[in-house]
Amino acid sequence: MKVRINVIVNGEKHHLEVKPNHTLVDVLREELSLTGTKKGCGSGKCGSCTVLMDGRPVNSCLILAPQADGREVVTIEGLAGREPHPLQKAFAEKGAIQCGYCAPGMILTAKALLDVNPNPQEEEIRFAIAGNLCRCTGYSKTVEAIRSCANSSRNNRPSAGRKAYA
Amino acid sequence: MRDLDVVGQSYPQIDAMEKAMGKTKFVSDLALPNMLYGRILRSPYAHARIKHIDISKAKSLTGVKAVVAYADTPGIKFGPRTEDWTILASDKVRFCGDEVAAVAAVDEDIAEGALDLIKVEYEELPMVSDPLEAMEPDVPLIHEDKPGNIAFEFKIDVGDVDEAFKNSYVIYEDRYYTNQVYQAYLEPMGAIADVDLSGRITFWVGTQIPNMMRMTYAKAMGVSPDSIRVIVPDYGGAFGAKMENNVHLVAAVLAQKAGYPVKMINTRHDDFIAGNPRVPMYIDIKLGATREGILTGKEVRVVGGAGARVVYAHAIVATACYRADSLYRFKHVRSKGYTVYTNTVPTSCFRGFGNAQMTFVLESALDTIADQLDIDPAELRIKNGIGPDEVSIHGWIINSCGLKDCISKATEAAKWQEKRQLKKPFRGIGISCCNHVSGNRAFAREFDGAGGIVRIGRDGRVTVYAGESDMGQGQKTVFAQIVAERLGVPLNLVHVAIVDTDFSPFGLGSFATRGTLMGGNGVLAAADDAFKQLADVAAEMLEANPNDIECSNEKFFVKGSPERNVPFKDVTEKATFVRYGSPVVGTGFYNPGTELPDAETKYGNISPAYPFACQVAEVEVDPDTGQIKVLNFVAAHDIGRAINPMATEGQIQGGVIQGLGWALMENMVTENGSIANPDFLDYLIPTALDSPNITPILVEPIESSGPYGAKGIGEPALNPAMSAITNAIYNATGIRIKELPVSAEKILKELKKRPK
Ligand code: FES
Ligand code: FES
C-alpha cells in the first residue's frame, strides 16, 4: 500500500507514491536519486541525513515520507545556485572535509544557523552542529569554516542564502 | 633540491568540492541495474551450537531472490592471517552477531522481513567474554583446536631485565586495562558484489587493503585471486576497521546464488555488533629507573581479546608488546603477549594498532615514575627520548627524529612550566609522547614498499594510480601534490584514480601510517619515469640533452634558461603522436629496504622512517561532579616534511579528538556476551561540544627516506592523546587512571575516598 505525497525538493515539485513507513531520507536517496543526503545511522543520532524542511534542519531519517507532504525540502544538491554556496566553498577550502560523509548534513545545519544568526559565536556554532557527528576532523576546521562565512557580507544579510527557493 | 611549488602547500583536498556539493558517490550511494539488497541473519547467542536451519519459508516470500546458509557457501576455512573464519557459521556460532544466514531481495524491507522467516534451532553453550577468564582452566573452548583459548603467543626478551630492575632506584608496577572501542566511521561497512558469466566476482567496497583483501577473498570463495576484482570507490572513513569482513563475502555468495548484483551495507546496529572494534587489552607493566630518571628496564604482559576469530589481533598484540620500546633508549625489555579468543565480536585494527594501547600504559607509568623521583615529566622524557640517527633496542634505524623538538615546542605552547609551577586546585596539565612507524615490515609479510603508475594523455591530463586508497585522510591529494611537484605542473592537472585491482599497482594498502611514505614514494618513482619519457621529447623540441631538461609551471626548458621553453601540453601531445597514440605511462616502485624481524629476537628495522609526537593536555576537574573538561590541547608532531600542512593539521585534530573520545566517553559495554550499547544514543562519540580546539604544531625534520622528506601522521595523531589527558587528571587530582575510559563517576568515587 502506498500513499501519494506532494513535495517540493530543491525547488522542483514532485508527486510521489511512497510507502507510508518509508522515511524522507529513503525517498530522497532511492526515489529521487539524491544521494548527497547520507544515512549514517537511520535513527536520528548522527545528523548525516540532515536536510532543510521549510528552512529548518531536520534529520530526514526521522521524517516519515507522508510527513513531508506539502513541505519544501532543500538537500545539499539544491544548496548551490549557479555558484557553490559560500559554506560549500569554505568547507572545502578550510579543510573541514576529510571523508566528507558528514559534510552535506553539516553544511545544511550551518546554513540554517546562519540564516537565523548571521554572526554566531564559536559556542553557538558548536551548539548548532552538536547533532552532526564528524569522526574525521575533530570539528576545529568545521567551526573555522562556518565562522569564515559568518563574517562574509553575504551571510550578514540572512535573506541572501534563501533567495533561490523563495 | 630546488624550491618546492606544490609540495608543502595547504591545498584543499582535490575532491573536497565534490564532497561539499554532495556529488561524490560513496559506496552506499552506488546502484547497479537489477541490484538486490542483502541482509544478514545474525546470531542472538554468544556461543551456541546450530542444530538446524530452515530457510524454506524465507525463500518463498515474494521478492526474495536468494537465501543462503553455510551449505550454500564454499565451506572453506580462511582468514586474513588465521584460518578460523567461514563465510557463514557452520556448526556453531561464537559471538552475538555471528553470520548465520542471509537473504537477497528486491528491496530492503523484504530482505528484512525474510530474515524473520528463517528458523534456526540453537543449543546454547557456556560462553566467556573476558580474555583473562578465557585463559583460565576449564573454560569452554571457542575454537576446539586452541587450548586455553590462546590463539597466539608473542615473546620478546632483550638484555637482562632482572638485572636492570636490581639496579633501579624506583620500580613501578601495575595493571592497566584498555577497553574495547568502536571506530565509528560515519559510513557503515558494506559492499556491492556482482558476478559475471565467467564467474568472476567484482566487489565495490570501501577498503584500506584492496589487494590483500582480494587474496583473502579468493581463498574464501575457492577461486583464483584473478577471479576477484576489487574496486574502491570513495568511502566514508575507516580508521583501521575497513579491512576484511564477512559482510562483503556474504554479498558475493548471495550474488552468485541470485545471479544479480547484491548490495549489502551494514545497518549501524550490525556495524556495531559485527564490525571489528579495537582489541581490548589487560596490560601489566613493570618499569624501572635510576635515581636520575634514566629508564633501566621494562617488562610487560599483554592479554588482548581477539573476540571470536582472529582478524589482525595477534599483530596488534605483538605491536603493543614492543613498538613503544623504540621511543626511549631502552636496553632491557621483556614482553609476553597473549591473543585470546572470547565469545565477543572479533576485534581488530583501530588507529594506533596496539601502540595506542601501550602508549597509554607506558606514558602513564612514566608519569608515575617522574612523580616518584620528583622530576619534571617533560624532563624525564627528554632525558630518555631517542634521537636522530640512533638505532633502537630492536634494531630500528631512526633516521630523522624530532621527538625532543616536539616536547619543547608542545610544552612551550601549552605554558607547561608556568602551569606546573602555579598549579591551581583541580586544574592539571599532562604530557605524553609517542613513536610510530611509516610502514611495518613485520605486518606486510611478502614485501613492503609500493608501486605507482602515472599516465599522461595527449591533452596533458595526468592520472595517478596507486594501491593505497583514500578513506578520507587525503591520500589522493598527497599523491597528486607529489606527482605535480615532480612533473612541474599545477595541481589541477593531476588526477588520482580510485583503486581498482584491475588497473592499480598491487599496493599493500592504507594502514600502518604508510600511505604517504610508501605510496608517495611509489607514485614519485612513477612520476620520475614519466618525466624522463617526456624530457626525451622535450629535449628534441628544444634541441638539447634530455638530462638538462626541467619543467616548472607547466613549461619544459633547458636548465638555466627558462625563457626558451615549450608548454607541457605541447610535449604531451608530441609524445603521444610519436608513439602512435600510446600514452606516456610512467611506472616505478619504492623498496624501503626494511627487514623482516628475526623470528626469535624480533630484531630488525621494520620501517624506513619513524614519526614522533608530544601532546600536552590541560584539564579542569569539577570536585562536586567529577566532570572533566579539557581546556587546552597542544599536539606537536614530527612528520618529516608536511606535504600538505592543512591536511596534516586535520589528521592531528581528528586523531586527538578520537583519543579524547576514548579517554573520556567511549566504551563498548558487553553484557552476557552481547553489546549493550550498539548505537550512537548509548555509545557516544565526541560532538562539537565535547571537542576543545586542538593546537597542532608541525615539526618537520626532512626524512631522507620520505617522498620530499615526508613521514606519516595517521596513527601518531591519536596514540598519545589518552595519556596526555589522564596524566593531566593525575596532575589535577592525584588520581591515576588505570582503566579507560575515565568517567565523572569514577573520579567522584575516588575523590570521595579522600579525607576532607
Ligand atoms: S541517518 Fe539520520 S540521523 Fe543518522
Ligand atoms: S569528514 Fe569524515 S565524518 Fe566528517
Side-chain angles (χ1 to χ4, degrees):
Chain A
M1 196 201 54
K2 293 200 167 181
V3 296
R4 296 185 67 89
I5 61 168
N6 293 315
V7 56
I8 299 176
V9 180
N10 300 334
E12 227 177 90
K13 282 188 189 147
H14 292 273
H15 308 286
L16 301 169
E17 290 203 352
V18 298
K19 289 192 191 166
N21 65 338
H22 261 199
T23 56
L24 179 56
V25 64
D26 294 327
V27 172
L28 293 170
R29 288 174 57 83
E30 281 156 36
E31 310 286 327
L32 302 179
S33 296
L34 293 169
T35 54
T37 305
K38 303 301 174 200
K39 196 170 168 181
C41 72
S43 60
K45 302 299 177 314
C46 75
S48 49
C49 64
T50 305
V51 299
L52 301 182
M53 194 157 89
D54 294 340
R56 279 211 291 276
V58 294
N59 286 328
S60 60
C61 71
L62 292 182
I63 307 283
L64 287 173
Q67 292 176 292
D69 186 34
R71 304 302 193 99
E72 190 175 337
V73 173
V74 176
T75 71
I76 194 69
E77 291 93 340
L79 184 62
R82 209 163 287 154
E83 284 285 301
H85 188 276
L87 277 164
Q88 291 172 313
K89 279 197 198 152
F91 266 63
E93 280 162 14
K94 302 279 180 197
I97 291 181
Q98 287 186 26
C99 82
Y101 203 77
C102 66
M106 194 74 90
I107 288 171
L108 288 169
T109 300
K111 155 88 165 78
L113 168 70
L114 295 182
D115 281 349
V116 295
N117 181 357
N119 248 319
Q121 298 305 301
E122 173 168 347
E123 271 316 296
E124 293 174 304
I125 295 173
R126 287 186 178 273
F127 189 78
I129 61 170
N132 291 81
L133 298 179
C134 173
R135 190 58 153 173
C136 300
T137 65
Y139 306 101
S140 291
K141 298 203 185 300
T142 316
V143 171
E144 203 184 313
I146 298 171
R147 255 163 84 138
S148 76
C149 291
N151 295 331
S152 79
S153 58
R154 177 179 168 141
N155 276 293
N156 287 339
R157 287 178 288 120
S159 61
R162 277 199 204 129
K163 241 186 210 146
Y165 306 104
Chain B
M1 198 186 289
R2 70 191 165 87
D3 285 349
L4 301 175
D5 295 322
V6 185
V7 160
Q9 303 293 326
S10 288
Y11 290 100
Q13 291 201 19
I14 57 176
D15 51 4
M17 209 57 214
E18 295 269 310
K19 289 177 174 175
M21 304 289 284
K23 288 191 189 301
T24 300
K25 296 276 176 272
F26 291 81
V27 175
S28 46
D29 299 333
L30 299 176
L32 298 175
N34 297 317
M35 186 177 81
L36 304 173
Y37 295 85
R39 278 277 175 273
I40 295 176
L41 182 72
R42 298 182 177 281
S43 166
Y45 298 110
H47 202 188
R49 205 160 290 293
I50 299 175
K51 296 186 72 181
H52 186 68
I53 302 185
D54 180 2
I55 57 174
S56 57
K57 275 224 182 78
K59 266 186 178 162
S60 56
L61 187 69
T62 313
V64 168
K65 299 290 178 186
V67 184
V68 294
Y70 176 74
D72 305 284
T73 71
I76 297 167
K77 282 196 138 192
F78 71 99
R81 291 289 197 268
T82 308
E83 298 189 340
D84 56 359
W85 300 34
T86 52
I87 297 179
L88 291 165
S90 57
D91 53 337
K92 68 175 193 172
V93 288
R94 295 181 170 88
F95 69 101
C96 282
D98 208 345
E99 300 84 7
V100 175
V103 176
V106 294
D107 71 35
E108 285 182 325
D109 288 351
I110 295 174
E112 195 73 48
L115 292 186
D116 294 339
L117 300 177
I118 300 174
K119 292 286 162 263
V120 188
E121 229 181 283
Y122 295 99
E123 177 194 320
E124 250 194 289
L125 297 169
M127 61 91 185
V128 59
S129 58
D130 180 86
L132 285 180
E133 257 171 58
M135 293 169 79
E136 280 170 14
D138 305 324
V139 167
L141 290 187
I142 295 159
H143 292 270
E144 281 70 18
D145 58 337
K146 289 287 174 345
N149 286 315
I150 296 171
F152 275 95
E153 284 185 47
F154 179 92
K155 211 166 76 231
I156 196 164
D157 194 347
V158 186
D160 189 339
V161 181
D162 299 316
E163 191 59 29
F165 285 141
K166 272 189 216 146
N167 300 330
S168 301
Y169 177 74
V170 285
I171 288 179
Y172 170 69
E173 209 174 345
D174 225 324
R175 168 167 292 183
Y176 284 76
Y177 176 69
T178 60
N179 61 323
Q180 185 170 304
V181 283
Y182 171 59
Q183 295 87 347
Y185 34 80
L186 262 279
E187 183 184 32
M189 281 184 194
I192 299 175
D194 194 17
V195 185
D196 73 9
L197 278 181
S198 73
R200 192 166 193 250
I201 306 163
T202 300
F203 290 97
W204 286 263
V205 51
T207 178
Q208 302 171 235
I209 49 161
N211 281 291
M212 297 208 298
M213 170 183 273
R214 182 163 65 101
M215 307 307 283
T216 308
Y217 287 2
K219 167 96 204 227
M221 298 299 291
V223 300
S224 74
D226 173 54
S227 302
I228 306 246
R229 175 180 180 188
V230 175
I231 299 174
V232 188
D234 288 303
Y235 61 109
F239 314 113
K242 289 182 179 166
M243 302 219 179
E244 292 95 341
N245 189 287
N246 261 343
V247 67
H248 312 133
L249 286 163
V250 174
V253 171
L254 284 168
Q256 277 181 334
K257 188 97 179 170
Y260 293 110
V262 173
K263 181 175 188 173
M264 175 87 82
I265 305 288
N266 272 346
T267 60
R268 185 55 73 178
H269 174 268
D270 281 13
D271 212 87
F272 263 98
I273 68 166
N276 298 113
R278 192 184 287 281
V279 180
M281 290 182 190
Y282 287 96
I283 300 178
D284 293 318
I285 187 164
K286 187 172 175 186
L287 189 64
T290 65
R291 177 158 211 158
E292 295 70 42
I294 301 301
L295 296 173
T296 49
K298 164 181 168 277
E299 181 171 19
V300 295
R301 179 177 183 268
V302 179
V303 175
R309 49 186 175 241
V310 177
V311 186
Y312 294 104
H314 64 301
I316 292 164
V317 169
T319 296
C321 281
Y322 83 120
R323 184 170 295 174
D325 298 348
S326 298
L327 172 58
Y328 299 111
R329 290 187 185 123
F330 281 109
K331 296 273 179 298
H332 309 280
V333 298
R334 184 158 62 209
S335 308
K336 195 100 216 278
Y338 299 91
T339 304
V340 181
Y341 286 122
T342 59
N343 291 114
T344 61
V345 58
T347 59
S348 191
C349 315
F350 187 168
R351 206 175 199 168
F353 200 74
N355 199 31
Q357 286 91 326
M358 185 53 79
T359 298
F360 165 65
V361 175
L362 176 63
E363 291 295 305
S364 301
L366 231 58
D367 207 55
T368 314
I369 285 203
D371 205 38
Q372 287 172 358
L373 292 173
D374 200 19
I375 295 180
D376 180 300
E379 187 54 42
L380 185 73
R381 286 166 171 86
I382 289 186
K383 267 190 182 176
N384 290 284
I386 205 157
D389 304 315
E390 291 184 28
V391 177
S392 85
I393 182 167
H394 301 308
W396 296 14
I397 301 165
I398 312 294
N399 293 329
S400 61
C401 173
L403 174 62
K404 287 168 197 176
D405 250 11
C406 288
I407 297 173
S408 58
K409 289 197 167 137
T411 48
E412 197 188 310
K415 302 202 171 69
W416 172 265
Q417 292 292 354
E418 187 186 317
K419 301 224 154 132
R420 294 291 289 199
Q421 275 153 19
L422 309 169
K423 208 188 96 54
K424 297 190 188 133
F426 294 101
R427 279 232 185 167
I429 188 163
I431 189 170
S432 174
C433 296
C434 85
N435 66 330
H436 211 75
V437 293
S438 291
N440 177 4
R441 184 67 179 89
F443 183 70
R445 291 166 311 169
E446 287 91 358
F447 71 93
D448 203 356
I453 302 171
V454 170
R455 178 197 189 278
I456 306 173
R458 170 187 169 173
D459 47 4
R461 184 185 171 97
V462 180
T463 310
V464 181
Y465 300 84
E468 283 65 42
S469 73
D470 195 331
M471 64 193 99
Q473 82 277 40
Q475 203 61 72
K476 282 192 213 168
T477 306
V478 161
F479 289 159
Q481 285 185 255
I482 289 171
V483 170
E485 185 66 55
R486 177 64 190 95
L487 295 177
V489 300
L491 188 62
N492 63 15
L493 274 195
V494 185
H495 303 264
V496 181
I498 57 172
V499 180
D500 177 334
T501 56
D502 271 7
F503 305 118
S504 305
F506 187 93
L508 295 178
S510 304
F511 57 87
T513 306
R514 69 190 293 289
T516 293
L517 192 147
M518 297 286 183
N521 271 323
V523 301
L524 179 58
D528 220 41
D529 182 24
F531 183 87
K532 286 189 185 122
Q533 297 178 43
L534 291 173
D536 282 344
V537 178
E540 225 167 89
M541 295 166 83
L542 289 162
E543 295 169 339
N545 183 333
N547 293 328
D548 297 334
I549 297 293
E550 285 188 358
C551 184
S552 89
N553 293 321
E554 244 181 299
K555 290 186 181 67
F556 282 94
F557 55 91
V558 179
K559 196 188 274 170
S561 31
E563 39 321 312
R564 229 187 106 233
N565 56 55
V566 280
F568 185 76
K569 287 179 187 172
D570 289 4
V571 176
T572 58
E573 185 175 82
K574 180 91 188 284
T576 311
F577 291 173
V578 299
R579 294 151 174 260
Y580 299 92
S582 167
V584 171
V585 179
T587 61
F589 60 86
Y590 169 64
N591 169 9
T594 47
E595 302 162 305
L596 201 58
D598 180 85
E600 189 49 38
T601 64
K602 317 293 185 290
Y603 193 90
N605 187 36
I606 63 164
S607 175
Y610 300 92
F612 294 88
C614 173
Q615 299 182 348
V616 178
E618 198 187 345
V619 304
E620 184 172 51
V621 177
D622 183 330
D624 299 321
T625 63
Q627 289 291 347
I628 299 143
K629 194 165 176 215
V630 177
L631 305 171
N632 188 20
F633 202 107
V634 180
H637 285 260
D638 159 14
I639 41 133
R641 187 196 300 279
I643 302 283
N644 183 324
M646 180 169 76
T648 309
E649 283 177 15
Q651 283 295 298
I652 294 171
Q653 290 163 334
V656 169
I657 295 300
Q658 280 180 0
L660 178 143
W662 187 7
L664 300 177
M665 305 170 70
E666 299 179 34
N667 191 21
M668 293 185 99
V669 181
T670 302
E671 276 168 15
N672 301 321
S674 93
I675 293 166
N677 55 343
D679 58 57
F680 286 137
L681 178 63
D682 297 310
Y683 184 97
L684 298 178
I685 65 170
T687 69
L689 286 174
D690 304 307
S691 306
N693 267 317
I694 311 299
T695 307
I697 296 174
L698 308 185
V699 173
E700 303 183 69
I702 300 309
E703 166 55 45
S704 57
S705 68
Y708 295 103
K711 301 192 260 191
I713 181 63
E715 295 169 283
L718 176 143
N719 290 342
M722 295 72 66
S723 38
I725 292 169
T726 54
N727 288 345
I729 293 173
Y730 181 77
N731 185 232
T733 62
I735 299 168
R736 170 62 58 208
I737 304 298
K738 288 181 245 170
E739 205 174 287
L740 293 177
V742 194
S743 65
E745 296 82 71
K746 279 188 203 166
I747 296 282
L748 205 56
K749 208 170 122 205
E750 290 298 319
L751 287 176
K752 284 213 174 114
K753 281 187 197 158
R754 298 200 174 155
K756 283 270 143 69

